[in-house]
Amino acid sequence: MIKVHLGDITRLHVDVIVNAANSRLQGGGGVDGAVHRAAGPTLQEACRKLGACPVGEVRATGAYSIPVKRIYHTAGPVWRGGNLGEPELLSSCYRQCLALARRENMRSIAFPAISCGVYDYPPELAVEVAVEQVQQYQEREGALQQVIFCCLNEQMADLYLAQLEAYIRR
Ligand code: AR6
């Protein structure tokens, strides 16, 4: 099942929450800030031990004070006009998170709108990528019981809902 949720990703009851991190895994603002605040300082230590996460890849940690099993940290691309591989890199973030969830036998995962804040990816285009990757993965593997697109505002939620409908009707 694919769902859209309006609210803070750190409050969701799922197996995995995805963090829109940066490639240095050093924490920051936006979702990253919220995840680090909610998980507590041990998360920062765990991230430091992991080192870097190249753009488009994923690294996993425990969730500490957040009551989920895992946090997947992925570094989305910074939007620079769209001709520098941004769609491929963003697709790769989703694919790598989904593949890792399968390897780790996770049943549910929540994604924020990776790259749609500080990294300036146009939301309509990012949502297209996100929905396409998740739908394709579920059609191919069907491994996850629940995938949640979590957003903080209604405009973003509406974009996901419209895109999911468009995908189903295609
Ligand atoms: N729950 C769900 N969604 C959220 C939350 C939350 N608690 N907080 C923000 N969003 P951003 P990026 C939404 O900037 O563009 C950080 O400093 C937000 O409204 O968090 O990938 C990192 O360290 C937006 O739609 O991530 C990196 O340096 C979306 O999440 C950089 O920002 C993503 O916004 C990553 O930038």
Side-chain angles (χ1 to χ4, degrees):
M1 192 205 302
I2 301 177
K3 288 204 320 196
V4 179
H5 177 85
L6 197 55
D8 180 358
I9 199 165
T10 66
R11 310 297 290 266
L12 286 176
H13 299 287
V14 284
D15 287 346
V16 184
I17 58 171
V18 174
N19 178 21
N22 55 63
S23 54
R24 296 171 310 284
L25 297 183
Q26 282 172 351
V31 193
D32 204 7
V35 165
H36 277 271
R37 273 193 304 278
T42 323
L43 177 60
Q44 189 66 56
E45 271 170 50
C47 286
R48 204 174 310 127
K49 281 188 197 140
L50 285 174
C53 175
V55 176
E57 294 191 16
V58 62
R59 299 289 182 272
T61 64
Y64 308 100
S65 299
I66 302 178
V68 299
K69 291 182 180 160
R70 304 287 273 165
I71 301 174
Y72 290 176
H73 308 264
T74 187
V78 176
W79 180 259
R80 291 196 173 92
N83 292 319
L84 291 170
E86 295 93 331
E88 293 76 13
L89 289 166
L90 187 61
S91 301
S92 169
C93 291
Y94 285 94
R95 274 201 309 275
Q96 291 214 8
C97 288
L98 293 162
L100 182 58
R102 183 176 191 197
R103 287 201 298 280
E104 294 197 321
N105 291 317
M106 298 288 136
R107 292 169 155 222
S108 53
I109 186 167
F111 286 99
I114 302 165
S115 286
C116 289
V118 175
Y119 285 177
D120 224 13
Y121 207 107
E124 304 77 21
L125 301 181
V127 162
E128 231 176 85
V129 168
V131 168
E132 190 180 32
Q133 291 305 319
V134 167
Q135 291 268 20
Q136 281 180 3
Y137 183 83
Q138 286 294 75
E139 280 168 18
R140 224 176 33 240
E141 315 277 346
L144 284 151
Q145 277 179 5
Q146 197 176 51
V147 180
I148 298 179
F149 291 118
C150 179
C151 18
L152 276 190
N153 63 64
E154 263 176 62
Q155 279 154 304
M156 200 74 208
D158 287 345
L159 288 178
Y160 280 109
L161 290 170
Q163 191 61 38
L164 282 165
E165 264 179 43
Y167 196 93
I168 290 161
R169 279 207 235 96
R170 84 199 186 284

